[in-house]
Amino acid sequence: MKRLIKTALRLKESPKDPTTSFQLWPSRPFTTTTTRLSQESPPTPIQLRAYQEECIQAVLTSITQGHKRLGISLATGAGKTVIFTHLIDRVTPPNPQATRTLILAHRRELVEQAARHCQSAYPNKTVEVELGNLQATGFADITVASMQSILSKDRLLKFDPSNYKLVLVDEAHHIVAPGYLKILEHMNLRQKQPDSPTLVGVSATFSRSDGLKLGAAIDEIVYHKDYIDMITDKWLSEVVFTTVESRADLSGVRAKGAGGTGEFETASLSRAVNSPELNDIVVRAWFAKAAPPKRQSTLVFCVDLSHVAALTERFRHHGIDARYVFGDTPAKERAETLEKFKKKEFPVLLNCGVFTEGTDIPNIDCVVLARPTRSRNLLIQMIGRGMRLHEGKENCHVIDMVASLDVGIITTPTLFGLDPDELVAEKTGGELLALAREGGEKKETAEGREKRMSKAAKKACPTGESYKVAFTEYDSVFDLISDAAGEKHIRAISQNAWVQVNPNKYVLSTDRDVMRLEKEVAEPPRGKDGEEEGERKTMWKGYVMRALSNGKSPWAAPREILRTMDFRDAVHGCDRFVAEFYAPFYISQRMPWRKAPASEGQLRFLNKLRSKLVPLEPGDITRGKAADMITKIKHGARGRFAELEAERKRRERISMYAEMEMQRREMEKVSVGPVAS
């Protein structure tokens, strides 16, 4: 170790030989020896894209304003490593001593990728790696470290924070995990301090589903460019989505986390989806939509090794050269398989947990999501594998195998604000966004409903035009409140028992108080001529309604706690609020009491609404379902039913008038020929 330290110092302090550097790649990978780089082939400077330069300027501006812990939100394929490497030279050291940079990542592939980029961009700097058996000296200009390796034993202690100007974190949605926080504590970055390095974290998915708050490590997001922006600006490949109903039953699949609120447990999920029948559905869907020559390179995401092996066998059974990699595949074998896949030597590559982050395979033109997930981040990461541009690639087809939606899985429609029950066929991201703005397509989804009538008919209108309209009708207020279709979307992104009172209003009851989430549409300003100027803006507002006991009014005046344009952010914000003030027993949708039979009091209340219907008996309905229905009644469902009844009668009148108009036109039709006497 002493010899290595002296070598690194000598390289750092020798101004006479600016071409000497700590060589890591592409000779013997990550060896701890020094070598002279050839002056005959200097690295080709990378031309930054406009948004990459804009992102760097946003970071530099924030630093000059005194900020220390910054986040960059960039879609997969935006070139975050390029931005990282260019930031290194553009961030000014706070003092002559603090000149070094530490890059942190949690996967070997990300560490190696960052090291290669830094070595290429800065041939005159010392670049070292802290990864497994490879140990850095702590004196290099740039150190790229695996989070697991730098935390082992006392390896973190050799990095003196006073010598560092910059700490870069890849895939920074992991940054509030305990290991990362320990590193930040050592680097004086747990709180903003004048003498600490600048922290910059980058991620395509700056959100977490485990309740940990990113604010514990990052103070502000200084730049955001998501995949829709990137596709629109032609920096990422267009994506075409198709969802397939796989008929997998996930009702018995366990979930991780307190109260079962996290991601699915791997073994439990594998048992649910890994069957010959379901695997054949995956293969048949692929044949229908993506078999060559339609698509050349398909990446399939599976649950675990047994799922990979079984699904690979089904592809091969049907004559497809399908191969696989997983976490324990030897590095050399994985690299060889990946290289052949990039050369299109075989059409289907299956994996489990290998290619969700930090993988550059631009030739992928089809992604098959054969594993259900409750993580929006994971879904985006999987889809992102197919978004990179590639010569001859028009778009990437994402085939999402949709399973039971009652257990809160995240599907491609939910990324665009659609109900997770939506089944889409070869729609682009832009088309899904437009569909979401229009309110989504209506589809028969609710099961267990006592009565439901769907109509789709062409009606002749006085204008001569024809329209195809689909309606959902309720014969009683009880039918309306027993319809649980409206809850599927919000319960796919929340662990709490929200109910939908109407399309623009959701309610969450606690033991006493009530949370209310409502959508409001702000009218755009109007010009002098009365015309609208600009677009109407949709805003979701969250309120808390305190229960009163004075007898005059049941509720105090609503108190607004948040407002945001994004529905998912609004739900998560309200969930964070209730988590601080109310016990999970009353609000979580996964409490055991919700599965018990309805109480006598609940049945009495609900049977009053059933009028001539057969009364509910104990055991006909669960306590949780009854609680949801009662909440709907208390917070506006009666009014909603009255609105629907009025709308139904209005449609009946229009239909009657249209029929009369058609009959009149038929009677008054003039035709060539004898006139009837």
Side-chain angles (χ1 to χ4, degrees):
M1 179 61 75
K2 291 181 179 178
R3 181 183 63 80
L4 289 176
I5 291 174
K6 290 180 180 178
T7 301
L9 285 171
R10 182 171 64 253
L11 291 171
K12 177 72 178 166
E13 295 170 356
S14 173
K16 299 178 182 179
D17 193 1
T19 61
T20 302
S21 131
F22 198 88
Q23 174 68 17
L24 298 172
W25 196 272
S27 64
R28 187 178 179 186
F30 306 118
T31 55
T32 52
T33 58
T34 59
T35 185
R36 179 182 297 273
L37 295 180
S38 171
Q39 290 180 305
E40 298 175 1
S41 56
T44 304
I46 297 176
Q47 183 67 38
L48 290 177
R49 298 170 179 176
Y51 70 85
Q52 291 173 332
E53 179 62 35
E54 188 179 76
C55 176
I56 290 173
Q57 290 300 327
V59 171
L60 298 178
T61 299
S62 184
I63 293 174
T64 60
Q65 293 171 349
H67 299 294
K68 286 283 187 176
R69 308 191 308 170
L70 317 177
I72 299 171
S73 174
L74 286 172
T76 298
K80 63 180 183 298
T81 311
V82 172
I83 293 173
F84 262 17
T85 51
H86 278 75
L87 265 176
I88 292 173
D89 249 9
R90 311 251 310 250
V91 171
T92 304
N95 59 68
Q97 179 185 348
T99 60
R100 298 172 187 161
T101 297
L102 175 64
I103 302 177
L104 298 171
H106 72 290
R107 293 171 60 91
R108 172 180 287 270
E109 290 84 358
L110 298 174
V111 171
E112 293 176 351
Q113 176 180 289
R116 282 193 294 267
H117 274 269
C118 290
Q119 183 64 38
S120 174
Y122 300 109
N124 301 328
K125 294 183 184 295
T126 55
V127 177
E128 295 179 1
V129 166
E130 188 79 25
L131 179 67
N133 294 328
L134 298 172
Q135 297 197 29
T137 64
F139 292 91
D141 297 316
I142 303 170
T143 301
V144 188
S146 156
M147 191 269 287
Q148 293 86 346
S149 297
I150 200 173
L151 285 173
S152 64
K153 298 181 180 179
D154 295 327
R155 291 164 75 163
L156 181 59
L157 299 179
K158 62 190 170 189
F159 299 96
D160 183 351
S162 65
N163 293 324
Y164 285 82
K165 66 173 183 177
L166 190 59
V167 175
L168 301 171
V169 179
D170 203 352
E171 302 295 351
H173 50 278
H174 297 289
I175 200 169
V176 288
Y180 277 100
L181 293 180
K182 182 178 179 181
I183 298 171
L184 298 186
E185 183 78 45
H186 175 77
M187 300 300 292
N188 295 329
L189 281 165
R190 279 305 305 272
Q191 290 87 29
K192 175 182 173 182
Q193 300 181 35
D195 58 345
S196 65
T198 294
L199 169 67
V200 179
V202 64
S203 175
T205 50
F206 257 127
S207 62
R208 295 183 66 89
S209 59
D210 55 9
L212 296 176
K213 299 179 180 179
L214 288 167
I218 291 177
D219 295 324
E220 65 169 348
I221 306 296
V222 298
Y223 189 79
H224 170 70
K225 200 170 188 69
D226 65 19
Y227 50 94
I228 296 297
D229 298 329
M230 298 281 290
I231 291 172
T232 302
D233 295 341
K234 307 301 182 184
W235 292 115
L236 287 180
S237 168
E238 179 62 91
V239 184
V240 177
F241 296 98
T242 294
T243 55
V244 181
E245 207 162 4
S246 75
R247 290 173 285 185
D249 181 9
L250 304 185
S251 59
V253 177
R254 294 188 298 272
K256 303 174 184 177
T261 59
E263 178 62 292
F264 294 119
E265 286 186 356
T266 301
S268 183
L269 180 62
S270 181
R271 287 192 294 270
V273 303
N274 186 15
S275 70
E277 295 78 14
L278 295 177
N279 288 339
D280 261 341
I281 291 176
V282 174
V283 175
R284 292 178 186 278
W286 178 83
F287 266 107
K289 297 295 182 181
K294 297 175 185 174
R295 302 286 158 174
Q296 302 298 318
S297 304
T298 297
L299 181 64
V300 183
F301 286 95
C302 303
V303 178
D304 61 3
L305 178 56
S306 63
H307 191 204
V308 168
L311 191 50
T312 301
E313 187 279 327
R314 297 315 296 163
F315 273 104
R316 292 176 178 175
H317 175 78
H318 291 282
I320 301 302
D321 183 5
R323 308 182 193 182
Y324 62 86
V325 295
F326 53 94
D328 293 334
T329 302
K332 182 179 179 182
E333 181 183 338
R334 182 192 299 186
E336 290 174 351
T337 302
L338 196 54
E339 189 61 30
K340 290 178 181 178
F341 183 60
K342 289 181 177 180
K343 293 179 180 178
K344 303 181 182 179
E345 294 184 16
F346 61 95
V348 178
L349 177 63
L350 298 94
N351 85 105
C352 57
V354 177
F355 298 131
T356 54
E357 298 173 330
T359 305
D360 186 3
I361 315 175
N363 57 291
I364 294 172
D365 57 2
C366 178
V367 173
V368 176
L369 308 178
R371 61 145 301 153
T373 180
R374 297 174 74 173
S375 167
R376 182 174 183 270
N377 288 359
L378 178 58
L379 183 64
I380 292 175
Q381 288 162 354
M382 291 189 292
I383 292 174
R385 296 309 112 202
M387 287 187 176
R388 296 185 186 273
L389 298 174
H390 188 64
E391 184 178 356
K393 173 178 167 181
E394 181 178 350
N395 55 40
C396 177
H397 197 157
V398 174
I399 302 175
D400 188 358
M401 308 302 298
V402 179
S404 168
L405 296 168
D406 292 320
V407 292
I409 72 168
I410 305 298
T411 65
T412 47
T414 63
L415 293 182
F416 299 88
L418 292 170
D419 189 293
D421 256 338
E422 295 285 353
L423 293 179
V424 297
E426 299 189 35
K427 291 187 182 294
T428 66
E431 289 170 337
L432 289 178
L433 279 177
L435 183 60
R437 294 192 185 102
E438 293 166 4
E441 294 174 330
K442 301 297 180 186
K443 177 181 173 292
E444 290 189 82
T445 58
E447 296 181 0
R449 186 179 304 163
E450 291 193 47
K451 218 169 184 181
R452 178 182 182 197
M453 182 169 61
S454 295
K455 291 182 179 180
K458 286 187 176 182
K459 301 290 184 182
C461 302
T463 59
E465 298 177 279
S466 295
Y467 299 89
K468 187 174 182 179
V469 184
F471 301 116
T472 299
E473 303 203 3
Y474 304 93
D475 289 342
S476 73
V477 67
F478 185 85
D479 292 334
L480 173 65
I481 65 170
S482 64
D483 182 359
E487 278 80 63
K488 286 189 175 182
H489 188 188
I490 194 166
R491 292 193 182 184
I493 57 179
S494 171
Q495 68 187 41
N496 293 324
W498 289 92
V499 297
Q500 184 188 59
V501 177
N502 61 54
N504 298 323
K505 180 180 178 181
Y506 295 85
V507 170
L508 175 64
S509 288
T510 70
D511 54 332
R512 285 174 50 83
D513 304 334
V514 169
M515 287 295 304
R516 198 172 71 202
L517 186 60
E518 296 186 0
K519 181 169 72 172
E520 296 183 6
V521 179
E523 294 291 333
R526 296 181 179 273
K528 295 181 179 179
D529 55 359
E531 293 293 325
E532 294 182 354
E533 295 181 348
E535 298 181 354
R536 300 187 178 193
K537 292 186 178 180
T538 298
M539 183 70 65
W540 285 95
K541 295 182 179 180
Y543 302 89
V544 61
M545 297 169 59
R546 305 285 187 188
L548 298 177
S549 56
N550 57 17
K552 297 179 180 179
S553 173
W555 309 106
R559 179 166 70 90
E560 183 178 318
I561 62 170
L562 63 82
R563 61 174 63 195
T564 176
M565 296 177 66
D566 184 82
F567 176 69
R568 181 180 296 272
D569 289 345
V571 174
H572 288 168
C574 289
D575 282 348
R576 285 194 294 271
F577 179 85
V578 297
E580 293 183 14
F581 296 101
Y582 304 100
F585 180 84
Y586 297 102
I587 60 176
S588 173
Q589 59 175 297
R590 298 183 177 91
M591 288 292 106
W593 68 264
R594 293 183 61 85
K595 297 180 181 179
S599 68
E600 291 184 7
Q602 289 178 321
L603 293 177
R604 283 197 302 271
F605 185 96
L606 293 174
N607 281 331
K608 292 178 182 178
L609 304 173
R610 294 178 62 82
S611 60
K612 299 178 181 180
L613 298 175
V614 178
L616 291 172
E617 298 290 339
D620 287 348
I621 189 173
T622 66
R623 187 167 295 185
K625 177 69 173 176
D628 294 344
M629 294 165 68
I630 292 170
T631 297
K632 289 184 182 182
I633 286 295
K634 289 183 174 180
H635 295 278
R638 288 181 185 272
R640 172 66 174 158
F641 180 70
E643 291 175 4
L644 292 174
E645 274 291 285
E647 175 64 17
R648 182 180 64 81
K649 292 178 180 179
R650 187 185 69 84
R651 291 200 306 268
E652 288 178 350
R653 289 196 301 271
I654 292 175
S655 178
M656 181 183 67
Y657 293 148
E659 184 68 24
M660 292 172 59
E661 176 68 13
M662 287 189 66
Q663 292 175 359
R664 185 186 64 79
R665 290 189 178 190
E666 188 66 29
M667 294 174 60
E668 296 178 354
K669 184 184 295 183
V670 176
S671 59
V672 176
V675 178
S677 57

